Amino acid sequence: MLLLLLFAAIAIIAAILVVSMKNIMHCALFLALFLLSVAGIFFCLDADFLGIVQILVYVGGIIVLILFAVMLTSRVSSALLEQTNEQKGLAITACLLLASAITAAAFRTPLVTSFYTADPEGTTRSTGELLLTVYALPFEIASVVLLVALIGAIVLAGKKGE
Amino acid sequence: MNDYLAVFIFIVMALGFTAAGLITAYLVRTSRPSLKKNETYECGEEPVGGAWIQFNMRYYVFALLFVVFDVEAVFLFPWAVVFKSFGVSALVELLVFLGILLAGLLYAWKKGSLQWE
């Protein structure tokens, strides 16, 4: 529980730094820290597979994508790019509304809080069993979705003579 | 959870070791900076310009491809854990999964996205 709170605190601090740092490169790196601490929260809740996915896909993949996007923009040479949000008030209002909506939904939904099945193997094994039996079709459809993403990425980003 | 406690201890130790090394070095070293000393160290080469230049657009395609296959690799972990107990049917299901993605890789290859011109 203590670890969970620690990771949550790191996540919140990192998230605030993401939107308040002046240097956009530092913002991206704090986003990585934020995603890592979310992975830590997953591990604390015994969702080890989700934690691994979080690290592999978000910290490993999405952050690379974001860093590349930052480095590909031509204005990155001005390191202290002023990061201002002209609609700060609107953004804060929208965030508060969204947060209260999520909180209200979380309190109204009867959440399963006792899924601590004490599986020494963790959740990866049960995930695999479900993927190959009950969710075999979604598993294969996931690969089609990935194929669509792949082709879409090539068509959009891989144009000749950019 | 307890398995990952060891990982957490390792992370804390790694961070502590780094911090302790840097802080000790900061406390005991003398500070006599000069223009030459403050230059960026680049394996003996003289650095030219800043490091934050605009990168080649082609890197982005590779990053996108990497993310797609990263997500694919995520699906392989739970599969690998249960592979032994499921046998041939698991293999067939994975081959279908990989076959569909292989078509994407072949498409990328054919389109020349894997080439650096």
Side-chain angles (χ1 to χ4, degrees):
Chain A
M1 189 62 189
L2 206 67
L3 267 182
L4 180 74
L5 290 176
L6 174 71
F7 280 127
I10 296 174
I12 290 171
I13 293 168
I16 290 170
L17 285 171
V18 170
V19 289
S20 59
M21 289 297 275
K22 284 254 150 50
N23 188 327
I24 196 158
M25 196 65 132
H26 295 165
C27 295
L29 293 176
F30 274 113
L31 187 62
L33 180 65
F34 165 72
L35 293 170
L36 260 179
S37 41
V38 171
I41 292 174
F42 283 146
F43 280 118
C44 285
L45 295 172
D46 278 346
D48 52 349
F49 181 64
L50 263 185
I52 296 285
V53 170
Q54 175 82 12
I55 290 177
L56 256 184
V57 175
Y58 283 88
V59 185
I62 303 293
I63 285 297
V64 167
L65 212 57
I66 287 176
L67 283 179
F68 272 24
V70 168
M71 290 192 294
L72 283 167
T73 47
S74 46
R75 284 174 70 196
V76 78
S77 44
S78 57
L80 295 172
L81 193 67
E82 195 64 40
Q83 201 200 30
T84 48
N85 188 348
E86 281 160 18
Q87 292 166 319
K88 206 176 257 176
L90 208 62
I92 290 173
T93 319
C95 283
L96 283 178
L97 277 176
L98 184 65
S100 48
I102 291 172
T103 317
F107 275 112
R108 273 156 196 249
T109 319
L111 291 172
V112 183
T113 48
S114 59
F115 51 71
Y116 282 82
T117 44
D119 189 354
E121 301 261 0
T123 50
T124 315
R125 172 172 292 274
S126 39
T127 309
E129 275 166 7
L130 284 173
L131 269 185
L132 289 181
T133 52
V134 186
Y135 299 112
L137 187 64
F139 174 59
E140 305 297 355
I141 289 174
S143 123
V144 179
V145 172
L146 282 175
L147 178 69
V148 171
L150 184 69
I151 293 174
I154 291 166
V155 169
L156 289 176
K159 280 195 191 111
K160 302 269 167 170
E162 62 273 272
Chain B
M1 174 69 210
N2 284 332
D3 299 347
Y4 293 102
L5 203 62
V7 177
F8 182 73
I9 291 168
F10 266 104
I11 293 172
V12 171
M13 274 172 66
L15 288 176
F17 191 79
T18 315
L22 287 173
I23 289 168
T24 320
Y26 176 78
L27 290 177
V28 298
R29 74 183 169 209
T30 55
S31 178
R32 249 175 270 132
S34 70
L35 202 65
K36 270 276 177 234
K37 267 190 197 167
N38 284 340
E39 233 173 52
T40 310
Y41 180 69
E42 183 59 58
C43 304
E45 292 280 328
E46 287 217 13
V48 180
W52 289 6
I53 51 160
Q54 190 180 0
F55 276 67
N56 194 322
M57 200 55 199
R58 298 211 66 89
Y59 283 114
Y60 201 64
V61 183
F62 287 106
L64 283 169
L65 288 177
F66 166 68
V67 171
V68 168
F69 286 101
D70 207 24
V71 177
E72 181 218 343
V74 160
F75 282 99
L76 296 186
F77 284 107
W79 174 84
V81 173
V82 294
F83 171 63
K84 262 194 178 161
S85 50
F86 276 79
V88 180
S89 68
L91 189 66
V92 171
E93 279 188 44
L94 190 82
L95 284 179
V96 173
F97 182 82
L98 288 183
I100 295 169
L101 269 169
L102 193 68
L105 190 63
L106 287 175
Y107 175 80
W109 195 353
K110 201 99 174 104
K111 276 271 174 180
S113 297
L114 304 179
Q115 236 148 17
W116 192 276
E117 66 233 55

